[in-house]
Amino acid sequence: MPTMADVARSAGVSVATVSHVLNGTRPVLPHTRQAVLDAVDELGYTPNTLARSLVTSRTRSIGLAVSAISNPYFTEILQGVEAAAREEGYGLLIADPHDDPVHEQRVVRLLHERRVDGVIVAPSAHPEDLVAYLTRHAVPTVLLDRAVDTTAGTTPRFDQVCAENADPTARLVTHLAELGHRRIGLVAGLPGLSTTGERINGYRYGLAAAGLPYDERLVVHGDSDAGGAERATARLLSLAAPPTALVSANNAMTIGALRTLRSRGLTVPGDIALCCFDDFAWADLFSPRLTAVAQPSRELGATAVRVLLERLAEPERPARTLRLPCSFVHRTSCGCPEEPEKGTVA
């Protein structure tokens, strides 16, 4: 295989100049740069990233471990991560932990063994083994979307990038209460996830702000997927006094809730109002159009990359948790006839 020295001889320049052209580490005269690129093309030179990583201890690659990659929310996060990594000259290795704590640790270990410079992980509901592995091996890490309490005892904290969850959920509840609803049900996510707990807390805050009592029978877990939400919504509708409005805590569960409502012959918002956490591309194509909280998914992914690169540049800097604001997207599934302008939820 041609080497960097071969490229330098062909272009009539030094090896250092070839390195500067290929790595962008120093300005090079345009005609010299073109000579190097022509030599690279003519010889078919490919940089030896393995050899370079042995010298620099960096592979310029990032590992990303997120479950439900097919979910539009995580797909957009992935797009944000990929775009930000590419802009900084980093490659991306992707794995799906399937929200399984055992598989989660396995895929993160595989990413680490492939010498990624750092990892971005959306942790499972039981990330104890993951946290222990990352801590033991001092892997530069950003926890994404789902926060983990790593402050207890001597366990070090990790950088975390998440959306606001409680206040936006409370906003959905208070909006429904303003429309006259007094029994508002919540289809909550998978128990143990921080997003699930935070959105339940937001639901309770919203009820309290509206002067409504909390009834634990109106909170059911849809386990963050459509099938679970179908069953959870059926349980709510089977109550002696069923809710007149629903809040669904993620986009997949919104689909499940709508399936159950349709199977029961119920219309939205005529028979029951519906608001959801997570906006998605076709939410305004439903009939009725879905009132939702929109998460800044691509920005979450891009921010996670930025925080990870800052961690790599300053390994000793204090860990931090960043919370990005969501937006309230007002449509018609809540029972409102019009669509006011989009507003930001702090």
Side-chain angles (χ1 to χ4, degrees):
M1 295 179 62
T3 65
M4 192 178 290
D6 296 329
V7 173
R9 280 193 296 271
S10 178
V13 298
S14 68
V15 171
T17 298
V18 174
S19 177
H20 291 318
V21 170
L22 297 180
N23 297 313
T25 49
R26 184 178 298 175
V28 176
L29 292 173
H31 69 275
T32 302
R33 180 176 183 277
Q34 190 58 52
V36 170
L37 294 178
D38 289 344
V40 167
D41 185 56
E42 179 181 347
L43 296 174
Y45 170 75
T46 301
N48 189 333
T49 55
L50 177 60
R52 184 169 59 188
S53 70
L54 292 174
V55 174
T56 65
S57 297
R58 293 287 178 87
T59 61
R60 296 194 70 80
S61 61
I62 293 171
L64 175 65
V66 295
S67 297
I69 291 174
S70 61
N71 184 309
Y73 169 64
F74 281 113
T75 299
E76 291 192 1
I77 282 183
L78 190 156
Q79 291 171 348
V81 170
E82 193 279 331
R86 174 164 38 87
E87 184 176 340
E88 296 294 337
Y90 279 75
L92 193 63
L93 278 67
I94 304 170
D96 188 339
H98 300 291
D99 276 329
D100 177 347
V102 175
H103 190 56
E104 172 181 67
Q105 183 186 4
R106 182 181 302 122
V107 299
V108 169
R109 185 182 70 245
L110 289 173
L111 291 171
H112 183 218
E113 290 173 353
R114 280 156 178 75
R115 298 295 186 265
V116 294
D117 293 340
V119 296
I120 298 172
V121 186
S124 69
H126 300 284
E128 294 80 10
D129 290 341
L130 169 70
V131 168
Y133 179 88
L134 295 171
T135 301
R136 184 166 62 253
H137 294 279
V139 181
T141 302
V142 173
L143 301 180
L144 176 63
D145 182 62
R146 303 160 175 178
V148 170
D149 182 7
T150 57
T151 59
T154 59
T155 304
R157 295 178 63 246
F158 297 102
D159 294 308
Q160 306 191 92
V161 177
C162 313
E164 292 285 357
N165 287 295
D167 287 348
T169 305
R171 177 71 178 89
L172 295 176
V173 174
T174 56
H175 179 65
L176 291 168
E178 289 165 358
L179 295 176
H181 295 282
R182 293 295 175 264
R183 289 186 63 77
I184 301 170
L186 174 67
V187 181
L190 186 69
L193 295 179
S194 67
T195 48
T196 298
E198 290 169 10
R199 291 170 195 174
I200 291 176
N201 287 340
Y203 167 80
R204 300 189 69 159
Y205 299 156
L207 292 176
L212 298 176
Y214 172 72
D215 184 344
E216 64 180 10
R217 294 171 298 179
L218 293 176
V219 177
V220 291
H221 286 277
D223 295 338
S224 299
D225 62 36
E230 289 184 52
R231 296 184 290 272
T233 304
R235 290 198 298 274
L236 286 173
L237 296 177
S238 298
L239 293 174
T244 62
L246 289 180
V247 173
S248 169
N250 82 358
N251 55 11
M253 292 191 295
T254 299
I255 301 300
L258 285 169
R259 285 176 181 163
T260 294
L261 295 176
R262 178 174 295 180
S263 71
R264 299 291 183 95
L266 299 175
T267 62
V268 177
D271 296 312
I272 186 167
L274 175 67
C275 291
C276 55
F277 203 106
D278 277 344
D279 197 25
F280 42 99
W282 55 89
D284 63 347
L285 299 179
F286 278 80
S287 180
R289 298 161 67 229
L290 297 176
T291 294
V293 163
Q295 298 193 73
S297 46
R298 294 194 186 197
E299 187 180 353
L300 283 167
T303 301
V305 172
R306 175 173 58 81
V307 171
L308 179 59
L309 296 186
E310 291 171 357
R311 169 63 51 197
L312 293 173
E314 299 181 62
E316 302 304 319
R317 68 178 299 161
R320 53 186 169 154
T321 295
L322 301 183
R323 291 280 183 173
L324 276 60
C326 297
S327 298
F328 177 67
V329 185
H330 193 169
R331 298 191 180 103
T332 57
S333 65
C334 54
C336 292
E338 298 178 357
E339 180 186 345
E341 289 187 4
K342 189 174 180 180
T344 299
V345 178

